[in-house]
Amino acid sequence: MPEQRRGFIYGFAAYLIWGLFPLYWKLLDQSGPLELLAHRVLWSLVTLVVLVAALRKFAAVKALLAEPRRRWPLIAAAFLISANWGTYIWGVRTGHVVETSLGYFITPLFTVLLGVFVLKEHLRPVQWTALGIAFVAVAGLTIENGRPPWVAIILTFSFGFYGLAKKQAGAGAIEGMAIESGTVVPFAIAGIVALGMHGDTTVTEHGTAYLVLVILTGPITAVPLLLFGAAATRSSMTTLGLLNYIAPIMQFVFGLVVFHEHMTPMRWLGFGLVWLALALFTVDSLRIRRRRAVALERTAVTASAV
């Protein structure tokens, strides 16, 4: 099988798993969001320790910890992804699945904005137009709800800054996530202990199957990240960028069809504007990449002729 096709399959599988997350978290509706977050952090660390040992990456983890320039971004990333996970779990548990999908629809546009203000990148007019349309959409949804769509905004900001921190750290998926989980696991354990002291723990009170589902939050966190890492080395950025929309589309459909969340005309309009912004952004990116590919091909042909 060609590597490009293998990369597409890995990437599709990763985003498919992420898209199915709302159904999984709904299975754990006997536990509160904070307890589930604590267990997700704990079992993610257990899973990653096993992976680090199996793949002999202890030296890579140690090297990351020894470099402050890479260690501190990973520590920041740990708290950002914890905020992202906690908000997502809360959103699914409280009937805001559609709003979580909005957050992940907006995230690629926010990431571009971070590139402008933090990394001093330059945007083309079409990209600025897409960002403007997305801003109007969020403003419209704020007017509709009488409040900003906080779940979507927190998911967007936390994951956007998480990506920036990971870029600055330049760490591999497994070793980087091992450090992230190790950073926040003391807080997770403290939370589990505190809940136990107050008699508020639930994961052991609903049978073995329920406990197994909670423990599996570790592997289901790590597996799609490994698949994504495998896809990133085999697929083009264009392919990965298009696959990126699978998860929020699935979450949006689940919110409407499975969980029967209400969509007002203004809400449909807001989402429509976000999708228009993403379409403009994607088409423009594909056009520029195609133009650059043609230019590189012409340069190669000219060089070979000389």
Side-chain angles (χ1 to χ4, degrees):
M1 181 184 296
E3 286 297 288
Q4 280 278 359
R5 183 179 300 176
R6 194 188 302 272
F8 175 84
I9 292 172
Y10 289 149
F12 182 83
Y15 283 107
L16 180 65
I17 294 171
W18 282 326
L20 291 170
F21 269 14
L23 301 180
Y24 195 91
W25 292 114
K26 283 289 187 178
L27 295 175
L28 301 174
D29 59 359
Q30 301 299 318
S31 304
L34 288 177
E35 184 179 15
L36 290 176
L37 173 61
H39 276 279
R40 184 178 187 180
V41 170
L42 174 61
W43 297 113
S44 292
L45 179 62
V46 171
T47 303
L48 288 160
V49 167
V50 171
L51 289 172
V52 167
L55 299 175
R56 299 180 180 179
K57 287 184 173 288
F58 283 113
V61 172
K62 187 176 179 181
L64 281 173
L65 290 171
E67 295 185 50
R69 181 181 61 82
R70 305 175 76 191
R71 180 178 69 239
W72 288 111
L74 286 174
I75 291 173
F79 291 100
L80 288 166
I81 199 62
S82 296
N84 184 273
W85 289 353
T87 303
Y88 184 80
I89 294 170
W90 184 89
V92 172
R93 289 291 316 283
T94 57
H96 292 83
V97 175
V98 168
E99 193 171 331
T100 66
S101 75
L102 176 65
Y104 291 116
F105 276 125
I106 297 175
T107 296
L109 299 173
F110 178 69
T111 301
V112 171
L113 201 60
L114 282 179
V116 173
F117 289 104
V118 179
L119 303 178
K120 308 303 179 185
E121 297 176 355
H122 298 285
L123 294 186
R124 296 179 294 278
V126 173
Q127 293 176 311
W128 278 116
T129 301
L131 289 171
I133 293 172
F135 178 81
V136 170
V138 173
L141 291 170
T142 298
I143 295 171
E144 162 73 8
N145 297 328
R147 61 169 180 80
W150 288 117
V151 171
I153 290 172
I154 293 173
L155 289 175
T156 297
F157 275 64
S158 59
F159 201 77
F161 281 109
Y162 173 74
L164 179 64
K166 293 283 281 187
K167 181 178 179 64
Q168 292 175 335
I174 296 176
E175 52 268 37
M177 231 192 126
I179 293 173
E180 293 164 26
S181 299
T183 298
V184 293
V185 80
F187 299 97
I189 293 173
I192 293 170
V193 171
L195 288 170
M197 292 175 63
H198 289 85
D200 294 328
T201 54
T202 61
V203 298
T204 58
E205 297 178 354
H206 301 285
T208 303
Y210 190 86
L211 178 60
V212 170
L213 286 175
V214 173
I215 292 172
L216 287 176
T217 58
I220 69 165
T221 297
V223 167
L225 285 172
L226 292 175
L227 289 170
F228 178 79
T233 60
R234 294 171 171 85
S235 301
S236 67
M237 290 302 294
T238 301
T239 299
L240 290 176
L242 294 174
L243 289 174
N244 182 72
Y245 300 133
I246 291 174
I249 288 172
M250 290 177 64
Q251 292 163 10
F252 179 79
V253 171
F254 287 146
L256 286 183
V257 177
V258 179
F259 305 123
H260 307 293
E261 294 186 15
H262 182 57
M263 288 289 289
T264 64
M266 177 63 81
R267 211 174 187 196
W268 276 112
L269 177 61
F271 270 84
L273 288 173
V274 170
W275 295 331
L276 173 61
L278 287 172
L280 286 173
F281 179 79
T282 302
V283 170
D284 181 66
S285 298
L286 290 172
R287 181 177 59 83
I288 294 300
R289 289 183 186 279
R290 191 176 297 112
R291 183 183 297 174
R292 288 174 179 171
V294 170
L296 287 173
E297 185 178 347
R298 287 175 179 172
T299 302
V301 169
T302 303
S304 62
V306 173

